[in-house]
Amino acid sequence: SMREMLLSALKSYYVGNINRHIANVEIYLRTSVGIGEHSDIIESIDKEMEKIDKYDARLSMILKYFERKQIDEKEEKKPQSK
């Protein structure tokens, strides 16, 4: 359905952004070349962590509020066995 397609696209978008920013943090952790000041590295990593947090929170919201809701609705529609 359109709902599942949109949720899947959003999840892919969020996971892609999470991976992108994780890769950036890994680059900072492995190579300090090109950044002169230590405090700049910390600040840059912190900015990347904020972005990871943002997309992780949105991904969690989809799983918690939209996919969980869908499972609950399916459970309610099942015939009750007595």
Side-chain angles (χ1 to χ4, degrees), residues 59-72:
L59 180 60
S60 295
M61 278 193 281
I62 287 179
L63 300 174
K64 183 177 178 180
Y65 296 109
F66 297 96
E67 291 197 340
R68 182 76 241 160
K69 181 181 175 201
Q70 192 175 357
I71 292 167
D72 291 343

Side-chain angles (χ1 to χ4, degrees), residues 28 32 35-47:
Y28 285 124
S32 57
I35 302 174
E37 296 292 320
H38 178 70
S39 62
D40 290 345
I41 296 171
I42 300 297
E43 194 175 306
S44 297
I45 290 172
D46 188 58
K47 284 179 184 172

